[in-house]
Amino acid sequence: MAAQSTIEQRERTAPAGATASATRRPGGAGAGLLRFARNTWRPAAVLVAILLVWWMVTAADLVKPYLVPSPGTTLDVVLAQPGYFAHHTWITTYETVLGFAIAIVVGVLSAVVMVYSPTVEKSLYPLLLFAQVIPKIAIAPLFIVWLGFGLSPKVVVAVLMAFFPIVISTVTGMKSIDPEMLQLSATMGAGPAQTFRKIRFPAALPHLFAGLKVAATMAVTGAVVGEFVGANEGLGYVILQANGNLDTPTLFAGLIIMSLLGVVLFVVVELLEYLVLPWHASRRTDSATTTL
Amino acid sequence: MTVGNTTTQRSADATGTGATVEIDEVAVRFRTKKKDVTALRDVSLRIEPGEFVAIVGASGCGKSTLLKLVSGLLRPSSGQVRLHGEDVRGPRRDIGYIFQRAALLEWRTARRNILLQAEMRGMPKAQARQRVDELIAMTGLTGFEDAYPNELSGGMQQRVALCRALLHRPPVLLMDEPFGALDALTREQMNVELRRIWRETGTTVLLVTHSIAEAVYLANRVIVMTPRPGTVAEVIDVDLPVERDYGQTMSAPEFARATGRIRDLLGATTTAE
């Protein structure tokens, strides 16, 4: 019995391909979604536990309600003015997603140019680094001066925040390609465009997605930083207002919605990764699949 | 024995020289930060259509450099390299290249990895698909067509790389330690299969290897190279029958003579260092 189970185990852990494993490949979109769901219940459980602790702390009156409102009060605030929260959430979502999208386009394009032209890379890298290290909160007022009170300064800050991880990860990804693969491509008579489309870009995708996940959370921060500096709508505005009025339930509600926004964006990117890269995700062990 | 050979003969006839690969007094020097390194010097070779030539030598003697020269991935510092009588000036499309690592795209199945060759060359789809089926059957990949590289063993991955290199029926196959990463048993198996595939296709093969046994079993001629700067120490003709059973060949007196001679040469050159 024991001996049999060890054999089974060994078979299971044997390098794939030793047996005809083509049939039991864990791939495809459906399997990806299933794996995704399997990996989500643990973080969900932790979240429930945190809510429970929060509720117990406030229910037992361990802290004053005006310092930490109960989960119920916080929910009531949202339910009392659903239109108000929906509007401001939509504004921040819009700024975040637009900033993120622009950062992807600009980031990937600059990465491609940098990989193909060492001159551009050398001249652009210091500038990139400079744009990254300068505190966004410090230059955000400048964008307000330049671009006014509307949505555009917030989008610009979001782009600035999200841009850097995308460029770095795409450059790394495109450079990590096996040089022999590129030589092979040359003997196949492939031009630079073909090599890029069929070899370089797909090979960079795992790195790109790693960068996108970081960038997604950065974009939310960027949009809110922009709103903090000067806005009359958006979640950053809601939080500032609530802070000024010592309205902690609204403050908490704003904070939670904002975090949820970041998490949702992150999950969307991760979901996309599962769908686009089944070949890559399938090689990971279950425990390492998600950072949620 | 069909298309590969006729292509070779056609281009050979056109130039009148006859040789598939000609290397004339080639030298390769690399410039590093500190000093110039001579990788190859005074290398002259002539490889006839349909030959199987193995290149052996110590690590770093420029064996792989030699293949890169023939493929046009690298230009010689001096001397001339000709393929089918034409000067090699840039990457050549009329070759098949195989590296020690299979260099497969991990997001493509075995079949689609082989098809990459056809896609890059813009081959007609139906024709390419038929050719892939042929190659899969020939290399024993049947049943693994739809497996991804990470699901294949090293030997299977190398078979996929071989199919990819043979897809366009190249008249010349360049192999850079193709079985170096395989275990001994798989390696022997692959040797037997490569020998059979070479006889079936009639392709001219240049094989770089570290294994003396592999070189002698597979090749008609073995080129022994000296350590850096690499040059040809001796060319050994292997006088074994065309039909080579692996076990019988290993115990043949001619096999012992050839391997012994190569071992002497490599030993002599290393002790001389």
Side-chain angles (χ1 to χ4, degrees):
Chain A
M1 186 65 185
Q4 200 178 4
S5 70
T6 31
I7 289 166
E8 274 172 14
Q9 221 157 24
R10 205 173 299 142
E11 270 177 0
R12 241 180 287 129
T13 50
T19 54
S21 59
T23 44
R24 54 178 172 83
R25 172 181 160 66
L33 283 174
L34 198 74
R35 236 185 358 260
F36 187 77
R38 255 212 313 273
N39 286 313
T40 338
W41 72 267
R42 270 171 282 238
V46 173
L47 217 64
V48 168
I50 290 172
L51 272 175
L52 211 67
V53 170
W54 178 18
W55 175 78
M56 287 196 304
V57 167
T58 49
D61 234 354
L62 292 174
V63 285
K64 297 274 183 301
Y66 66 85
L67 292 179
V68 178
S70 74
T73 327
T74 310
L75 189 65
D76 284 344
V77 166
V78 180
L79 293 180
Q81 323 153 267
Y84 175 80
F85 279 99
H87 170 71
H88 292 292
T89 306
W90 161 245
I91 293 295
T92 306
T93 310
Y94 179 81
E95 294 160 354
T96 304
V97 172
L98 189 61
F100 186 46
I102 295 174
I104 294 175
V105 174
V106 180
V108 171
L109 282 181
S110 4
V112 171
V113 175
M114 280 163 75
V115 167
Y116 279 90
S117 161
T119 322
V120 173
E121 185 182 5
K122 280 188 195 119
S123 24
L124 220 62
Y125 233 101
L127 198 72
L128 262 182
L129 197 66
F130 182 72
Q132 170 64 13
V133 293
I134 192 162
K136 302 300 171 299
I137 190 103
I139 47 165
L142 193 62
F143 293 129
I144 304 281
V145 174
W146 286 348
L147 302 167
F149 234 51
L151 297 186
S152 33
K154 288 90 182 173
V155 175
V156 170
V157 180
V159 172
L160 273 182
M161 295 279 279
F163 176 72
F164 194 70
I166 295 176
V167 177
I168 298 296
S169 60
T170 314
V171 168
T172 312
M174 289 208 289
K175 283 189 171 173
S176 67
I177 182 83
D178 187 349
E180 287 180 347
M181 202 57 234
L182 296 176
Q183 292 178 343
L184 208 61
S185 183
T187 68
M188 291 178 178
Q194 265 183 318
T195 306
F196 175 77
R197 200 157 48 87
K198 292 194 189 280
I199 298 174
R200 265 216 142 112
F201 187 68
L205 280 176
H207 282 91
L208 174 58
F209 268 103
L212 286 184
K213 281 190 254 180
V214 178
T217 58
M218 302 282 253
V220 183
T221 315
V224 173
V225 163
E227 288 168 357
F228 271 5
V229 176
N232 44 26
E233 47 186 353
L235 289 172
Y237 164 78
V238 169
I239 289 168
L240 270 191
Q241 288 286 307
N243 208 16
N245 301 337
L246 275 179
D247 179 5
T248 41
T250 307
L251 185 66
F252 263 63
L255 278 175
I256 289 169
I257 294 173
M258 194 193 294
S259 332
L260 280 179
L261 182 58
V263 171
V264 167
L265 200 57
F266 182 93
V267 170
V268 167
V269 174
E270 193 152 86
L271 203 62
L272 258 174
E273 186 187 17
Y274 270 89
L275 297 178
V276 174
L277 308 175
W279 52 274
H280 195 254
S282 72
R283 300 195 318 171
R284 299 179 196 156
T285 54
D286 272 5
S287 56
T289 36
T290 174
T291 28
L292 258 179
Chain B
M1 281 303 275
T2 54
V3 179
N5 249 1
T6 44
T7 321
T8 321
Q9 267 149 19
R10 204 189 309 125
S11 38
D13 289 346
T15 54
T17 59
T20 299
V21 179
E22 282 172 287
I23 299 174
D24 261 345
E25 287 175 33
V26 156
V28 174
R29 285 176 288 273
F30 293 112
R31 188 158 295 153
T32 59
K33 276 173 200 157
K34 285 180 183 162
K35 53 178 180 181
D36 287 2
V37 178
T38 307
L40 286 177
R41 65 176 170 88
D42 286 340
V43 177
S44 295
L45 281 176
R46 198 184 147 88
I47 294 161
E48 303 300 328
E51 260 198 297
F52 198 128
V53 173
I55 306 168
V56 295
S59 296
C61 72
K63 304 185 295 280
S64 303
T65 309
L66 208 55
L67 288 195
K68 293 223 162 81
L69 287 174
V70 175
S71 64
L73 291 170
L74 191 76
R75 301 280 297 271
S77 310
S78 65
Q80 272 198 317
V81 179
R82 278 187 298 274
L83 196 59
H84 311 307
E86 282 170 46
D87 269 339
V88 175
R89 292 176 182 281
R92 295 288 299 218
R93 294 185 56 179
D94 51 353
I95 52 151
Y97 215 120
I98 296 177
F99 296 97
Q100 177 171 356
R101 279 173 301 160
L104 301 177
L105 301 176
E106 50 182 333
W107 56 89
R108 282 173 172 244
T109 60
R111 177 188 293 277
R112 294 199 57 237
N113 259 296
I114 302 169
L115 275 169
L116 181 73
Q117 182 81 262
E119 291 171 23
M120 294 297 204
R121 286 168 189 275
M123 274 169 70
K125 278 197 179 123
Q127 188 196 328
R129 247 181 261 131
Q130 195 197 336
R131 176 74 179 143
V132 170
D133 289 337
E134 268 172 48
L135 287 167
I136 282 172
M138 182 168 82
T139 52
L141 272 172
T142 311
F144 294 91
E145 301 97 324
D146 298 320
Y148 285 79
N150 66 311
E151 299 164 341
L152 293 172
S153 63
M156 283 296 182
Q157 289 187 13
Q158 213 45 279
R159 279 170 223 253
V160 176
L162 185 63
C163 288
R164 184 180 56 190
L166 289 172
L167 184 93
H168 52 301
R169 303 178 195 272
V172 181
L173 191 59
L174 305 174
M175 310 181 84
D176 193 352
E177 294 179 43
F179 310 132
L182 305 182
D183 61 273
L185 214 62
T186 312
R187 192 169 186 158
E188 285 184 9
Q189 228 172 19
M190 293 296 285
N191 282 347
V192 173
E193 279 178 44
L194 178 59
R195 175 90 192 161
R196 176 177 59 78
I197 289 164
W198 169 70
R199 293 193 57 200
E200 281 174 23
T201 56
T203 308
T204 311
V205 181
L206 247 87
L207 170 84
V208 164
T209 178
H210 273 126
S211 160
I212 297 172
E214 182 171 281
V216 174
Y217 169 72
L218 282 168
N220 305 80
R221 284 197 296 155
V222 179
I223 293 161
V224 184
M225 293 185 65
T226 64
R228 186 166 285 182
T231 190
V232 177
E234 197 172 311
V235 179
I236 305 212
D237 286 301
V238 180
D239 197 15
L240 284 164
V242 179
E243 201 76 52
R244 294 182 192 177
D245 174 84
Y246 199 84
Q248 277 172 18
T249 305
M250 291 296 128
S251 53
E254 169 61 12
F255 183 82
R257 184 200 68 83
T259 51
R261 178 70 190 133
I262 296 169
R263 209 160 272 130
D264 281 348
L265 281 166
L266 291 178
T269 47
T270 36
T271 42
E273 269 263 294

